[in-house]
Structures are given as C-alpha cells and as structure tokens.
Amino acid sequence: MLGKCKQPEHASSVFTIILSEGFNPTLDVYTSLVGAFGHNGLFDEAISIIDGMKTISDCKPDAYTYTILIGCCGKFKRFDLIPSLLAEMTYLGIECTAVTYNTIIDRYGKAGLLEEMESSLSLMLESGSCLPDIFTLNSIISAYGDRKRIDEMEKWYIEFQHMGIDPDLTTFNTYNGRPEYMKK
C-alpha cells in the first residue's frame, strides 16, 4: 500500500525495520517491496531488490514478482526493460504465466505497440503452457478498437472464438464492430 500511495521510501524503511527486528521477510514481502519501487518508477531499486532475492534460498523471485515489475514497466512506458526481464526469467527457469503474458499484452496494447502485442500473443501460444483467455481477448479487442482498426479487431474477435474463448460483457462494451460478428 505504501508504494501505491507514492511512499516507496517509507516502504523501504518498514522493510529495514523488519530486518533489524530479526524477521526473515517472505517472498510476498520482497515482492511487495519490488512493487513499491516499481509503482513509483524506481526501476533500478526494484531490480536491485530482485537481484538480492536471487541470493536468498527461500525468497527467489517468481513469476508473480516479475509480473508485478513488468506491469510497472508498461505503466511507465519502460518497454525497453521488458525483454531483459523476460530473458532473466528464462535464465532462472521461471515460466511466464497467463497473467504475465496478459500483463504484457495489455500494456503493449494500451501503448499502441500492436506488433509487440501480437508478438507477445504468439509467444503465449507457442509456450504451450499458457492459453489465451477472456483477458487476452479483451486486451486485444480494446487495443485495436482504441486505434479504430476495426478490421484487425474483428479478425481477432473471430480468431478467439475459434480458440473457444467466448466474449463477456467487457468484450461487448469494448467492441465497436458490426453486430453480425457478435453472434456465436
């Protein structure tokens, strides 16, 4: 909460107190500190925390830790950091989850980086372990709709239906296409 309230230094102080009191912070505590720095655009500090986590046997960063930081990178338009974070995950043997891919797809889409968005969707499909879901559909529909690229939006709407992903209320609220494509 301190990070979301724009108080990452206070979050860091609380972390220091935890250590000084002799407690061993959990993975969740470390991940929260990564988020506190990331939500405030302090990426060097967030990455430093992750680097420190790698040296602690029971607090290794996981997919959730990286997903939090990747989401923050997208929020601050630091897309240059995402490939290296993904490469680091691969090096450490951490597989992306559907949430990780959806975070990347959503952030690229909101920024109008549609090629990167589609490339991330391809990686998701190629992974074999993460399948697109309603969140993936809605991010892609929204990204193309926001840019008035209705043909691509409709193409992906149909493609997702072929994958067995049915629209939900959010999809219908986002969709600006022709009504005949909204039928099952």
Side-chain angles (χ1 to χ4, degrees):
M1 284 309 299
L2 291 169
K4 290 182 180 180
C5 293
K6 308 251 184 260
Q7 297 183 34
E9 295 81 13
H10 193 179
S12 184
S13 296
V14 170
F15 185 79
T16 301
I17 291 169
I18 290 170
L19 293 174
S20 71
E21 293 290 327
F23 291 103
N24 292 323
T26 64
L27 175 60
D28 291 335
V29 172
Y30 276 102
T31 299
S32 294
L33 188 57
V34 168
F37 286 124
H39 286 295
N40 289 280
L42 302 171
F43 295 108
D44 290 340
E45 291 86 342
I47 291 168
S48 177
I49 296 297
I50 288 178
D51 288 342
M53 292 172 71
K54 294 176 203 171
T55 66
I56 304 169
S57 62
D58 58 346
C59 284
K60 303 276 188 226
D62 62 5
Y64 181 66
T65 307
Y66 280 97
T67 301
I68 292 291
L69 186 53
I70 288 168
C72 294
C73 289
K75 175 183 169 190
F76 283 93
K77 310 265 188 276
R78 288 298 310 271
F79 296 106
D80 59 305
L81 297 175
I82 293 175
S84 62
L85 291 171
L86 292 173
E88 188 172 301
M89 287 176 69
T90 300
Y91 176 77
L92 295 172
I94 301 169
E95 290 187 25
C96 288
T97 65
V99 174
T100 308
Y101 283 117
N102 282 335
T103 299
I104 296 166
I105 289 166
D106 185 62
R107 295 298 185 180
Y108 279 144
K110 285 180 176 168
L113 300 170
L114 303 179
E115 286 181 27
E116 291 85 348
M117 178 186 73
E118 282 197 29
S119 175
S120 298
L121 175 59
S122 293
L123 290 173
M124 182 184 208
L125 292 167
E126 291 167 10
S127 76
S129 60
C130 299
L131 297 175
D133 57 22
I134 189 63
F135 299 105
T136 320
L137 166 66
N138 289 338
S139 291
I140 293 203
I141 294 295
S142 179
Y144 282 116
D146 287 348
R147 279 146 197 88
K148 310 288 189 252
R149 293 177 62 172
I150 305 305
D151 289 341
E152 288 105 328
M153 184 178 72
E154 290 175 346
K155 175 194 97 160
W156 279 109
Y157 177 86
I158 293 166
E159 188 66 32
F160 275 92
Q161 285 207 308
H162 289 306
M163 290 184 226
I165 301 167
D166 291 325
D168 66 1
L169 187 56
T170 301
T171 313
F172 290 123
N173 284 335
T174 303
Y175 195 85
N176 292 317
R178 294 183 289 261
E180 64 267 19
Y181 286 102
M182 299 308 285
K183 299 175 186 167
K184 282 191 169 189

